[in-house]
Amino acid sequence: MASKKYYTVEQLEKAKEVLEELPDLKKMRLAKDDVLENLKSQIIKLALNKGYVSEDIKSALESAGIKVGLKSIQKIFFDKKKKKSD
């Protein structure tokens, strides 16, 4: 027969305190799209003013620990060109 594990009221209260004190991670964890949006102007500047291609930018981002696909970077260029032609 499996033994049941019981907890005390003190353990429950301690668990509540621990969980309540955990920080808000929304401000510390950014989604890939948020990161790319924040880096958009720098990415465009590298491409237009400094001659970098998508692969170069992807490699630089990976060296900073940010893994994105080429398509995500190329979309930034496409969106920029699309806005120019509008």
Side-chain angles (χ1 to χ4, degrees):
M1 183 180 246
S3 65
K4 290 185 178 181
K5 173 70 175 167
Y6 295 97
Y7 300 95
T8 65
V9 173
E10 290 82 17
Q11 288 173 305
L12 173 62
E13 293 304 316
K14 178 66 175 173
K16 285 181 182 180
E17 287 176 28
V18 168
L19 294 177
E20 187 65 34
E21 291 175 6
L22 290 174
D24 183 359
L25 295 180
K26 288 180 191 176
K27 297 173 186 175
M28 294 195 263
R29 293 182 178 166
L30 299 173
K32 177 183 76 168
D33 291 340
D34 295 331
V35 170
L36 287 175
E37 183 63 33
N38 280 291
L39 296 173
K40 184 186 283 188
S41 63
Q42 290 174 298
I43 290 171
I44 291 169
K45 181 179 176 182
L46 286 172
L48 298 179
N49 300 341
K50 296 187 176 185
Y52 285 83
V53 296
S54 300
E55 290 85 359
D56 299 328
I57 296 168
K58 179 180 185 293
S59 177
L61 289 173
E62 284 178 351
S63 72
I66 298 173
K67 295 183 182 182
V68 295
L70 284 175
K71 287 184 181 183
S72 296
I73 296 169
Q74 292 166 342
K75 184 180 182 315
I76 292 172
F77 301 145
F78 178 75
D79 290 348
K80 176 70 173 169
K81 287 180 185 178
K82 189 176 178 183
K83 283 184 182 181
K84 269 189 172 180
S85 65
D86 287 347

